[in-house]
Amino acid sequence: MAETRLTILRNGRFWTADPARPFATAMAMEHGRVTAVDGQALSLVSQRDTNAPAVIDLHGRFVCPAFLDAHLHVTLGAATLAQCDLSGCASRDEFEARIAQHAATLDATDPNAWLIAFGWNESDWRGEAPDLSWLQAAGDRPAVAWRMDQHACVVNRAALALLDITPIAGGEIEVSRGIFREQAAWKRVIPAIPEPSIAAKRANLAKACAYLHSLGLAGGGSMEYLRDIRDVYLPLLERLTFRVKATVLDRDWPLDTPPTLPAEARAGHPFFEIIGMKSFADGTLGSRTAWMLEPYSDAPYTDGLAMEHTLRGELAAWMRAVQKLGLSPSVHAIGDRAARTLLDACDACADHPAPRLEHMQTLAREDVPRLAGRFASMQPLHKADDARQAIARLGHARIERFFAFRALLAHGARLAFGSDWPIVSPDPLLGIKAAVTGLDLDGRPFATEHSISVDAALAAYTRVPAEMLGFPGGVLREGRAADLVILDRSPFEIDWTREMPKVVATMVDGREVHATSSML
């Protein structure tokens, strides 16, 4: 799909993400690659006697490498486009009204189809988590509503009657309230929900790619199950416009018998490739299942939950097994105890393929320097969201090491930013705002001592995830993929507490995949 003709972008303000040449005013691209930057690019206009290049006058707009999301769930996010969105509900009344409105849209001839909702957060109404009574508007139809972090859900009585409610290691079930957390949600609830058709998944994927391009994104590190890789992605390889470096979510395999991965997904296709496998060391702060060194300040009876390979004491062995496959082990760790356990496992593993430390939201002070040279895959919007409950959950003393972006950079960590979509918005500009300003989702400053520069935030959404995941873009330099985003103004010249740039166009392989008005 690469654009083959020579195209010159001129009269712009370029931030290249290349430390050797960070700024420019022009760029040339051909055959989907950057061929020249700055003055050399402009000279190409006069050198071509035939097949005159296309010349685009940017009129002073800002250009940088297209954004890359270091950690998201494209198929899961795509599915939510057809589900009931509960994000931002400010009250029980609003929650129930959205459930009722969505229930009215479902096919009455198929009463066994579940009502699926997502995105609720008790911080939005500053109260308790919902219980099964909040889902009464679904009637006799099975219904599930996922917390925004996807680590807890609430179901109604119709769904509860279909579920196995026996205790499970690494999970919690409150039958009387219809609440399932962690492994209970994943191993009891998810298998009971009917799968969308493959055709529906493929249609949703196309919609998701268009949506992500509208936010300036060219690609992302997506967490995906093997069934979706085989059924959804691989048949659409030649139609993909969003670059995906996939991490396999399937985790129930013996360490000496790893799953067989599709050969075509390991062949380095420019738009899809399996590069890693995933494990969860713990849960989330919002669900009080992140594994902490000390108990929760507002729930001293618990310090969270260890999960999966960590719970079984085999995290390092699992990581080594993944590395033997030539893949990167990716491990979810949110609590400081989970982070320390993960760092200990990294010390017992090889450096290549590089492990990815996902989230790393809370760290013990002495563990911060241990991330030097390591990839910390973090989500600034998680800080903006969790900030609203962090003091209650952690107490004041632990906030100094909560999303410690600045300290991690100072100690040489390699920050790669993402969204965890659909957990929060995949909009990189919202992530940059959170990282630069320290504002929470209610617009209040929180732990601003951890805020970083615009330059560092841009690098965390471009160059560093490209290095971590192996994307061909991420830097506007000769020979790199012509993946770029055009903004209406410079992110270096605005007050991020008051305004944000807007995406004018997104290009992948030198082709326009999104534009508010055509640039070509």
Side-chain angles (χ1 to χ4, degrees):
M1 63 162 286
E3 173 60 65
T4 58
R5 62 175 169 168
L6 176 64
T7 302
I8 309 292
L9 302 176
R10 61 183 302 174
N11 191 24
R13 290 179 288 176
F14 290 75
W15 181 81
T16 67
D18 184 348
R21 183 169 49 188
F23 296 101
T25 59
M27 190 190 84
M29 53 189 181
E30 189 173 20
H31 299 291
R33 295 279 163 173
V34 176
T35 54
V37 176
D38 231 3
Q40 187 179 7
L42 294 175
S43 69
L44 291 176
V45 176
S46 59
Q47 292 175 14
R48 293 290 178 99
D49 297 325
T50 59
N51 297 323
V55 179
I56 299 174
D57 190 333
L58 295 169
H59 300 288
R61 293 186 178 99
F62 181 86
V63 183
C64 69
F67 301 126
L68 298 167
D69 191 311
H71 179 133
L72 78 169
H73 303 254
V74 175
T75 301
L76 181 62
T80 65
L81 299 176
Q83 296 172 0
C84 178
D85 186 355
L86 298 172
S87 59
C89 283
S91 66
R92 174 172 179 167
D93 286 345
E94 185 177 358
F95 183 111
E96 292 182 322
R98 293 196 200 179
I99 294 293
Q101 184 178 22
H102 190 74
T105 69
L106 298 178
D107 186 354
T109 65
D110 186 7
N112 295 320
W114 284 48
L115 184 155
I116 304 175
F118 73 99
W120 62 263
N121 186 343
E122 63 270 36
S123 293
D124 290 333
W125 56 81
R126 292 179 172 79
E128 292 298 313
D131 61 33
L132 50 78
S133 68
W134 292 41
L135 295 171
Q136 291 181 75
D140 295 331
R141 183 187 298 277
V144 58
W146 290 92
R147 193 179 187 278
M148 52 79 65
D149 57 15
Q150 295 279 327
H151 284 248
C153 66
V154 58
V155 302
N156 67 352
R157 294 192 185 281
L160 196 58
L162 303 174
L163 300 176
D164 179 354
I165 57 173
T166 57
I168 182 171
E172 298 174 346
I173 303 173
E174 293 184 45
V175 177
S176 63
R177 300 185 66 208
I179 293 178
F180 290 69
R181 298 187 184 92
E182 303 301 345
Q183 294 295 318
W186 299 342
K187 299 292 180 63
R188 299 287 194 254
V189 180
I190 288 178
I193 302 172
E195 278 273 302
S197 69
I198 293 174
K201 287 186 176 184
R202 292 176 183 173
N204 288 336
L205 176 62
K207 294 175 185 176
C209 291
Y211 171 55
L212 295 169
H213 287 321
S214 76
L215 303 176
L217 286 156
S222 190
M223 309 293 160
E224 301 286 351
Y225 287 101
L226 277 172
R227 65 176 182 274
D228 290 327
I229 290 173
R230 294 190 180 102
D231 295 340
V232 181
Y233 282 102
L234 294 185
L236 301 178
L237 276 185
E238 302 313 314
R239 292 159 58 185
L240 287 175
T241 59
F242 186 78
R243 301 187 194 274
V244 172
K245 297 293 185 178
T247 294
V248 175
L249 279 170
D250 302 70
R251 303 182 292 281
D252 291 332
W253 47 272
L255 298 188
D256 58 351
T257 314
T260 300
L261 305 180
E264 59 268 45
R266 296 292 308 276
H269 189 280
F271 282 87
F272 189 88
E273 181 183 15
I274 293 174
I275 56 99
M277 304 191 87
K278 179 79 176 285
S279 183
F280 287 78
D282 67 344
T284 68
L285 183 72
S287 298
R288 295 190 189 88
T289 52
W291 197 28
M292 308 301 299
L293 291 168
E294 299 173 4
Y296 284 88
S297 297
D298 60 352
Y301 54 83
T302 183
D303 58 6
L305 295 172
M307 305 225 173
E308 300 181 355
H309 303 99
T310 301
L311 178 65
R312 298 191 291 269
E314 59 185 30
L315 181 59
W318 173 84
M319 292 173 68
R320 288 193 293 268
V322 172
Q323 289 179 317
K324 286 181 181 177
L325 298 174
L327 298 171
S328 163
S330 168
V331 183
H332 166 120
I334 286 181
D336 50 12
R337 188 173 182 184
R340 175 170 291 176
T341 303
L342 172 54
L343 287 165
D344 289 345
C346 287
D347 289 343
C349 293
D351 293 331
H352 185 78
R356 286 170 285 144
L357 287 58
E358 306 289 350
H359 310 307
M360 304 301 278
Q361 290 184 190
T362 309
L363 295 163
R365 187 182 300 108
E366 57 270 33
D367 287 333
V368 172
R370 299 179 66 189
L371 276 84
R374 286 173 167 153
F375 288 114
S377 174
M378 303 181 73
Q379 300 76 35
L381 272 185
H382 281 352
K383 180 189 178 222
D385 179 38
D386 283 351
R388 300 180 296 172
Q389 55 194 352
I391 296 293
R393 294 283 194 273
L394 301 177
H396 289 278
R398 283 183 278 196
I399 299 305
E400 68 167 295
R401 44 198 173 82
F402 178 70
F403 285 93
F405 298 139
R406 185 179 296 182
L408 286 168
L409 285 175
H411 283 92
R414 304 168 76 183
L415 295 190
F417 283 166
S419 65
D420 211 3
W421 184 59
I423 309 307
V424 296
S425 168
D427 189 343
L429 295 174
L430 288 175
I432 292 171
K433 176 181 178 179
V436 169
T437 67
L439 297 178
D440 69 13
L441 292 188
D442 294 328
R444 298 173 300 188
F446 181 82
T448 56
E449 67 273 16
H450 298 321
S451 298
I452 59 177
S453 68
V454 171
D455 188 87
L458 283 172
Y461 274 110
T462 55
R463 183 180 68 247
V464 183
E467 294 169 350
M468 181 177 79
L469 299 168
F471 282 106
V475 179
L476 299 181
R477 179 194 298 151
E478 292 86 345
R480 299 296 287 261
D483 297 352
L484 56 96
V485 60
I486 302 172
L487 305 178
D488 66 341
R489 63 198 119 160
S490 170
F492 293 100
E493 298 172 3
I494 62 172
D495 179 354
W496 280 88
T497 65
R498 297 175 180 271
E499 59 183 334
M500 294 196 309
K502 293 182 175 62
V503 173
V504 174
T506 307
M507 293 184 177
V508 178
D509 252 8
R511 285 188 181 273
E512 200 173 75
V513 292
H514 168 79
T516 53
S517 59
S518 181
M519 302 291 297
L520 297 177

